[in-house]
Amino acid sequence: MVDHTGSSASTESGRPDVAGILEHLRLAEAKLNRQREQQSGMSETDRAAMRYLLEHDDSDEVTPGRIARALHLSPASGTALIDRLVARGLVVVHGHPHDRRKKLVRPLDGDIDLDHLDPLTMRLRSIAARLTSGDARIVATFLEDVLASVTHATAPSH
């Protein structure tokens, strides 16, 4: 883990400025997403869908609905996502062999290198793997709280 106690990301008490670091992370991620979209023509959601498909390619039940749920998309947004990936020649959609109501989604090329598609995710997984079990629990609890806050902030108000 990077030591932020001696950097400008510390408060006067020497305690790491977690909120400040989190804000820097959000800004860096937004910038990275813009750069990657310009370079590849794929949005973060497109890359997440491809990552999901490649990680679950051995499953015989990858449906548009399953992808939409995994990425927290509405069914309509999931359909638009699959349509974009089909149009780019990245996935194929075909009928389920035993259930005419279902459509299955498969990557056109199952040998796409996940590290090439999204090298940051693989690096982040490597960093996370270095955490001790105790540290992982603390970080996971913190990140789950952050995720809940972000999810709540983006949820449609009724």
Side-chain angles (χ1 to χ4, degrees):
M1 206 184 266
V2 177
D3 178 14
H4 291 284
T5 56
S7 73
S8 60
S10 296
T11 62
E12 289 177 17
S13 68
R15 177 185 169 130
D17 180 7
V18 176
I21 295 167
L22 200 53
E23 183 59 24
H24 286 288
L25 173 64
R26 292 178 65 206
L27 294 171
E29 184 176 28
K31 180 180 177 182
L32 176 64
N33 283 336
R34 287 189 303 272
Q35 289 173 343
R36 291 194 316 186
E37 190 164 347
Q38 287 174 348
Q39 291 170 351
S40 70
M42 291 177 70
S43 71
E44 178 60 29
T45 305
D46 295 348
R47 285 190 301 277
M50 288 303 299
R51 191 170 47 249
Y52 181 86
L53 274 167
L54 292 166
E55 289 173 348
H56 294 87
D57 194 32
D58 294 336
S59 170
D60 61 344
E61 295 291 320
V62 180
T63 64
R66 184 173 168 186
I67 294 168
R69 283 188 302 279
L71 301 181
H72 308 287
L73 301 174
S74 69
S77 294
T79 298
L81 166 67
I82 299 302
D83 289 347
R84 280 195 312 272
L85 297 177
V86 166
R88 296 196 68 192
L90 296 170
V91 302
V92 292
V93 178
H94 54 87
H96 190 282
H98 308 294
D99 186 343
R100 294 184 319 165
R101 298 168 296 169
K102 285 186 179 179
K103 299 286 185 202
L104 300 177
V105 183
R106 293 270 186 251
L108 198 58
D109 179 1
D111 293 328
I112 295 173
D113 181 7
L114 276 172
D115 285 338
H116 178 70
L117 180 67
D118 191 0
L120 180 60
T121 294
M122 304 314 271
R123 287 194 305 263
L124 293 176
R125 287 180 180 169
S126 175
I127 292 168
R130 295 192 315 243
L131 293 172
T132 66
S133 292
D135 286 348
R137 279 190 288 279
I138 292 167
V139 172
T141 298
F142 171 74
L143 291 176
E144 286 168 351
D145 289 347
V146 170
L147 177 61
S149 294
V150 170
T151 301
H152 178 72
T154 60
S157 51
H158 296 279

